[in-house]
Amino acid sequence: MDLTAAAACLPPAIAALLALALVAAVLPAGTRARSVSYGAAAAASAVMVALSLAVLAGAAPVAFSWGAVLGFSLIDVRIDSLGAVFVLMLGLVGTVASVYAIGYAPHPDASGAHDAPVRWADPVLAAYPVFLGSMFLVFGAADLVAFLIAWEAMAVASAALVVGGRPTPGQARAGYLYLVLTHLATGALVVAFAVAAAAGGTALDGLPAVARSMSGPTRDLLFVLLAVGFATKAGAVPLHVWLPRAHPVAPSPVSALMSGVMVKAGIYGLVRFVLVGLGPGPEWWGMVVLAIGTVSAVLGVLYALMEHDLKRLLAYSTIENVGIVLIGVGTAMLAQAAGLPSLATLALAAALLHALNHAAIKGLLFMAAGSIAQAAGTRDLNRLGGLWRGMPVTALAFGVGAAAMAGVPLLGGFAGEWLTFQALLGVAASGGVSAEVRSVLLLAAGGLALAAALALATFVKATGTGFLALPRSQPAALAREPARAMVWATAALAGVCVAMGLAAAPIAGVLAGAAGPLLGVLGGAEPAGLVLGGPGGAGYGPLAVAVVLGVVFAVVGLAGRRGRSVRRVPTWTCGISPEPSFEYTATGYAKLLRLYFGPVLRPQREVEVELHPGTPFPRAVRYRGGARHLIDERLYVPLHRAAVAAAQLARRIQNGSLQLYLAYTVIALVVLLLVARP
Amino acid sequence: MTWDAASLLLGLTQTALALAIAPLLLGVAKRVKARLGYRTGAPLLQPYRDLAKWWRKTPVESEASSAVTAWAPAAVVAAIVTATLLVPLVGERPLLGGSGDFLVVVGLLAGARFLMALLALDAGSAFGGMGSSREVAIAALVEPALLLALAVAAVAVGSTDLAVIAGAGVARGLAWLTPSLLLGAAAFALAAVAETGHEPFDNPDTHLELTMVHEGMLLEASGPRLAMLAYAAQLRLVVVASLFAAAFFPFGMTVALTPLSVAVALAAAVAKLLAAAVALALLDAGLAKLRILALPGLLGFASTLAVIGLAARLWLPA
């Protein structure tokens, strides 16, 4: 049986396994049924990995359709090489997160946890396999209608998982905001798809031909609608406000999937419908995407730096990385518009590489954060610390993920940023684009460098204050590794992250091979060697660098330890015994950067000193501080006020009086009769 | 990439020079500072003796510390030694050339910083946190300036590969120093002072908690670990100075492998490194430390210079 025939058997297997997961989830709750459900979900995800690898290895696109209604198929899947890249992300994170979820069951002594594992047992968990399946259908949809159905199912299932069965007020608010914004996005997509369908059918394959036949303004309108719809799902600034609220309150395996994979559905949409579907457009399209990406990267990481809630920090970091991916997509659009197909392929490969790496890394970090929240009962970095003692495996796994997100070479995050930088400089240095475009490209390069440097500060802060030194609270001191499935899943994903970083060059080669044909580069795929290549002979060979670094590390490290005992003594703190309150807190650690970026972050501080009565001596000092979120305050608060004011106005003519409504009807009838007179 | 015996030998020589000269540069800088302060100063070879002394001692570590304290110093040294192998100095082809461009070099320096900053937090001392948080904050402004400055040279040749950049510089001679490249060089120089931790950004001689940045991170290190971190800091200066020389001032670097040109190139490399050390010493002796809240202005100025350099290349006829 050849590869294509073997791959064709896989979609039914995925469907069957997800159906099994669904059935097991709705059975009367029992630990066994839940384990079967997540086990089946993990198996389905593993099959997705096999399917995507088969397609990327050269099998023909896999097609599968089921459930014909009114001339449309409810499920109409066709996984080509682009879809396969995203299915790979989904399968990878899905497998690990599902295994993790087996352990992430209700925990008798975790009732105080902010991470709310108790609610995880609710019947709403049936939404989990639906969530996985709908994401698969989004990446595989071969038809606009099938895409919209899957897209909506993905939104509703994820919202159900965010809100949970018995939501706290915070969860309910986050879920509501998420639903509102995601439907705004879906609304934009529905209009865009309707325009496209009216111009020539609903098949995804036919889109480029349809787009070519459209007039300029129609294409511009389509671009704007698609950009709004997909940028919202991707969490790009300024449409990001739902993301840092919804991702942290979801159960951690779901957070991992939402941040790792679901936001990539927005990226997938932009690539599939704008870059490939609409094809080369005017320069301003690419510049808009590039600008959104740059702003998202810098603002996302700045807000991540200000957070001391670990999961919110990770959510803001997702906005940063989506920004970096969008920089790649925008560069690809500009290169495509300028007729530079090989640079466009390079830029798209950079975007896909960073998206893939980010999926694994962010999945890993969210899972580690979930373990911490369950073990220590809090996600507040200012109350954690010293976790490496009780949770060494989770600490190491988190450290790997943090280093990767901080852009440390050899790991995956750096490879994606490296390739994105190459694409930016390559297009900027080529003669094919205007000076305006080159300026925007170079500013994006500066923004990318700034974001990478700030990410380093963010993840040193998260790792250092969360895992090192002395624990800052009793629960942190008592925290131990959680259930084995959680620890193993996290550790395995950390291993995958390291391997993906070292194998970045061959992976990028495969991704370029997947991206090339989409942009009209046939057979020009990069050979999948051991060195990542950029324009002008620039190269980055992670393996060679790793070998040299490893040898030097081993020699120096072992020589420095040989035959030596180490004396362990308390930290010198000027003669008094060390206390955790001497350590820098997460908030304190970020203070200098909070002041440096004051014009953007608008830091606030409030110090309250309570004195011993009748004396000048303080009894208690309370500090409250933080950054203000300008986009929330300047854009969404006024929007909200305007909406409420508009509703107040509408209330004057909408006051519920039946007589008034009858009068409206009569007036409308008279007007109609007058206007529509033949 | 294939190697013949001669260029392999040159690569090894260059690496040996970089690794060996690093402590000497510190000795020279300290001597210059001492003389400017009317003191005799320590012997030029004192840094080597310090390293040897620390290497022999028993390490003392905090009871709060983890494996980071034990292993990060070696990893920091490894990262910076690897960076050394990627930067041209005597010849345009470094030993590990082709496996990394200047982005990888800056990335390795950042990776070393990631570990150092974690190490500083590991003992749970307030001083370590202070040094660490200052270091990452300043680095957040330095790195973009460094990369934008190097981008000026990269855009000039259409490649981020240091061998390509240095080769183009040597081939073009003084024509390499276009106005935009000089702006990039100025930006890089300013950022490099911060990257290596000298006045007016940081005072490498102080252990006063109010002012220290880099030294604050080393306070808890001792024995061989202190030796590793101190050597890594010395080597970082070599890497940054050779990066500057390779991108903006590659003159004297050998392209042909004749004995004479190699000798000239060796002398030029040593002269450039010593000049960098002396320049930093002059800055240390002549300038006061800037208020830490005023640093963004100066580093923002460096980034602005680099952006103007890039704009000059893009908008003006070449």
Side-chain angles (χ1 to χ4, degrees):
Chain A
M1 198 156 64
D2 69 338
L3 199 59
T4 305
C9 308
L10 297 178
I14 295 171
L17 284 166
L18 284 177
L20 173 63
L22 189 61
V23 170
V26 294
L27 284 179
T31 322
R32 182 88 35 94
R34 213 169 30 240
S35 297
V36 170
S37 173
Y38 295 130
S45 308
V47 177
M48 289 180 202
V49 173
L51 172 64
S52 58
L53 289 180
V55 173
L56 287 174
V62 175
F64 175 73
S65 69
W66 177 83
V69 183
L70 303 173
F72 298 110
S73 295
L74 272 180
I75 292 179
D76 190 358
V77 180
R78 185 169 174 282
I79 309 277
D80 63 359
S81 56
L82 176 67
V85 173
F86 288 85
V87 171
L88 179 61
M89 294 176 209
L90 170 64
L92 181 64
V93 182
T95 309
V96 192
S98 304
V99 172
Y100 179 94
I102 297 175
Y104 197 79
H107 218 256
D109 53 345
S111 49
H114 293 189
D115 214 37
V118 177
R119 285 190 184 79
W120 189 225
D122 286 329
V124 83
L125 280 207
Y128 184 77
V130 175
F131 183 41
L132 281 178
S134 58
M135 282 196 282
F136 177 71
L137 294 179
V138 163
F139 297 143
D143 178 277
L144 293 179
V145 178
F147 181 90
L148 270 184
I149 293 172
W151 182 266
E152 188 58 21
M154 175 176 84
V156 173
S158 57
L161 288 164
V162 166
V163 175
R166 290 180 295 277
T168 61
Q171 278 175 315
R173 236 189 345 266
Y176 178 69
L177 185 67
Y178 171 44
L179 271 179
V180 168
L181 272 165
T182 197
H183 280 98
L184 227 59
T186 310
L189 292 185
V190 169
V191 177
F193 287 3
V195 171
T202 61
L204 217 62
D205 279 345
L207 209 56
V210 172
R212 265 196 300 277
S213 69
M214 285 176 179
S215 67
T218 317
R219 278 158 52 93
D220 286 349
L221 174 73
L222 271 186
F223 166 72
V224 171
L225 289 169
L226 291 171
V228 167
F230 291 126
T232 307
K233 188 54 96 182
V237 173
L239 298 164
H240 67 286
V241 285
W242 63 274
L243 194 152
R245 290 171 174 81
H247 286 204
V249 299
S252 288
V254 176
S255 307
L257 278 168
M258 287 176 80
S259 249
V261 185
M262 193 184 74
V263 295
K264 308 293 165 33
I267 304 294
Y268 170 79
L270 273 181
V271 174
R272 172 71 79 193
F273 292 95
V274 175
L275 199 62
V276 179
L278 291 184
E283 270 182 353
W284 67 266
W285 291 7
M287 280 160 80
V288 164
V289 173
L290 200 61
I292 289 177
T294 312
V295 171
S296 303
V298 174
L299 275 187
V301 70
L302 271 178
Y303 290 134
L305 184 62
M306 293 305 117
E307 275 303 330
H308 52 86
D309 176 325
L310 185 53
K311 280 178 79 175
R312 276 177 70 100
L313 182 150
L314 294 177
Y316 275 114
S317 151
T318 295
I319 297 176
E320 178 218 345
N321 286 285
V322 160
I324 294 174
V325 175
L326 285 177
I327 290 177
V329 175
T331 310
M333 290 170 67
L334 286 170
Q336 190 194 28
L340 304 165
S342 63
L343 280 169
T345 309
L346 180 75
L348 184 54
L352 294 178
L353 180 66
H354 197 67
L356 182 61
N357 278 316
H358 175 256
I361 300 164
K362 196 48 69 68
L364 161 66
L365 288 172
F366 263 114
M367 281 159 38
S371 300
I372 294 167
Q374 211 177 81
T378 178
R379 308 188 309 240
D380 185 352
L381 286 170
N382 288 339
R383 289 171 45 75
L384 295 171
L387 290 175
W388 68 271
R389 287 182 191 79
M391 313 175 70
V393 180
T394 305
L396 184 63
F398 189 92
V400 168
M405 280 286 91
V408 172
L410 306 185
L411 294 162
F414 180 80
E417 286 166 10
W418 187 89
L419 212 54
T420 308
F421 213 94
Q422 292 296 341
L424 281 169
L425 285 186
V427 179
S430 77
V433 288
S434 67
E436 288 85 354
V437 171
R438 294 162 138 211
S439 312
V440 176
L441 287 165
L442 291 168
L443 285 178
L448 179 61
L450 180 63
L454 287 168
L456 187 133
T458 306
F459 282 96
V460 169
K461 175 185 110 164
T463 317
T465 58
F467 291 94
L468 301 182
L470 296 172
R472 291 186 185 76
S473 68
Q474 192 66 14
L478 297 177
R480 293 293 171 268
E481 292 285 12
R484 262 182 313 190
M486 294 163 72
V487 180
W488 286 351
T490 315
L493 196 49
V496 171
C497 286
V498 172
M500 279 170 61
L502 293 179
I507 293 175
V510 171
L511 294 179
L518 299 171
L519 301 171
V521 183
L522 289 172
E526 309 274 321
L530 292 176
V531 177
L532 273 168
Y540 163 48
L543 263 183
V545 175
V547 168
V548 171
L549 200 146
V551 168
V552 178
F553 170 70
V555 169
V556 175
L558 293 176
R561 267 183 101 74
R562 201 165 50 89
R564 245 184 286 252
S565 58
V566 177
R567 218 147 52 84
R568 278 177 82 85
V569 294
T571 306
W572 171 250
T573 42
C574 307
I576 41 180
S577 60
E579 277 186 36
S581 59
F582 299 165
E583 296 164 12
Y584 258 53
T585 58
T587 310
Y589 195 83
K591 164 143 191 184
L592 197 51
L593 279 166
R594 191 157 61 238
L595 295 179
Y596 279 1
F597 288 89
V600 182
L601 293 172
R602 306 294 169 96
Q604 291 177 307
R605 60 183 264 162
E606 219 175 277
V607 180
E608 216 177 288
V609 181
E610 194 183 310
L611 300 179
H612 283 288
T615 70
F617 303 115
R619 182 163 66 188
V621 180
R622 268 182 295 276
Y623 168 85
R624 275 220 330 247
R628 287 161 60 183
H629 291 230
L630 275 190
I631 292 175
D632 294 16
E633 285 185 13
R634 296 282 165 84
L635 184 62
Y636 284 92
V637 171
L639 264 180
H640 176 242
R641 285 214 194 100
V644 172
Q648 295 286 2
L649 273 182
R651 230 171 64 168
R652 293 199 190 151
I653 53 170
Q654 268 278 25
N655 59 3
S657 143
L658 190 60
Q659 287 88 337
L660 198 61
Y661 289 161
L662 284 173
Y664 290 156
T665 315
V666 172
I667 292 170
L669 187 64
V670 171
V671 169
L672 263 179
L673 284 173
L674 287 175
V675 171
R677 209 166 35 174
Chain B
M1 194 185 273
T2 55
W3 289 93
D4 55 85
S7 50
L8 188 64
L9 196 65
L10 185 66
L12 287 171
T13 315
Q14 157 176 327
T15 307
L17 170 70
L19 295 180
I21 205 173
L24 179 69
L25 295 185
L26 179 65
V28 169
K30 286 204 159 176
R31 174 65 72 88
V32 170
K33 267 188 275 185
R35 285 291 156 88
L36 288 171
Y38 300 103
R39 286 178 283 118
T40 315
L44 284 177
L45 299 183
Q46 188 60 38
Y48 295 93
R49 292 185 195 147
D50 286 342
L51 290 178
K53 176 183 72 185
W54 292 328
W55 188 262
R56 286 192 303 269
K57 295 217 170 212
T58 302
V60 178
E61 67 183 25
S62 162
E63 281 167 358
S65 69
S66 67
V68 171
T69 293
W71 292 104
V76 169
V77 170
I80 299 195
V81 168
T82 311
T84 315
L85 296 176
L86 288 166
V87 189
L89 180 59
V90 180
E92 62 186 41
R93 266 179 75 184
L95 271 187
L96 207 52
S99 292
D101 55 357
F102 68 68
L103 296 170
V104 179
V105 174
V106 174
L108 284 168
L109 295 180
R113 178 177 299 115
F114 180 82
L115 291 167
M116 289 272 303
L118 279 184
L119 171 84
L121 291 171
D122 200 24
S125 142
F127 295 139
M130 200 180 285
S132 173
S133 84
R134 287 173 182 174
E135 171 86 6
V136 297
I138 295 171
L141 306 174
V142 172
E143 258 174 50
L146 282 179
L147 287 178
L148 284 173
L150 289 167
V152 176
V155 170
V157 296
S159 171
T160 57
D161 189 65
L162 284 166
V164 175
I165 293 174
V170 172
R172 291 186 206 171
L174 282 182
W176 177 241
L177 297 177
T178 56
S180 80
L181 198 87
L182 289 174
L183 283 166
F188 189 96
L190 210 52
V193 176
E195 174 73 24
T196 53
H198 285 272
E199 302 275 14
F201 299 96
D202 186 12
N203 183 345
D205 296 326
T206 186
H207 282 271
L208 182 66
E209 61 268 29
L210 292 178
T211 57
M212 64 194 170
V213 182
H214 182 264
E215 292 298 311
M217 300 201 291
L218 304 186
L219 277 182
E220 301 297 331
S222 60
R225 296 162 189 177
L226 179 59
M228 291 175 202
L229 293 174
Y231 180 67
Q234 295 158 6
L235 199 56
R236 183 182 282 264
L237 172 60
V238 175
V239 172
V240 173
S242 353
L243 208 49
F244 180 81
F248 302 105
F249 205 74
F251 314 119
M253 204 175 269
T254 176
V255 186
L257 287 172
T258 61
L260 179 67
S261 75
V262 170
V264 169
L266 267 174
V270 172
K272 286 177 200 168
L273 292 177
L274 285 176
V278 171
L280 289 174
L282 291 177
L283 284 178
D284 280 351
L287 290 178
K289 197 164 171 299
L290 213 56
R291 279 180 59 217
I292 201 158
L293 290 181
L295 295 186
L298 195 51
L299 289 167
F301 176 63
S303 293
T304 312
L305 281 181
V307 168
I308 295 174
L310 286 169
R313 172 154 293 279
L314 295 183
W315 293 85
L316 300 178

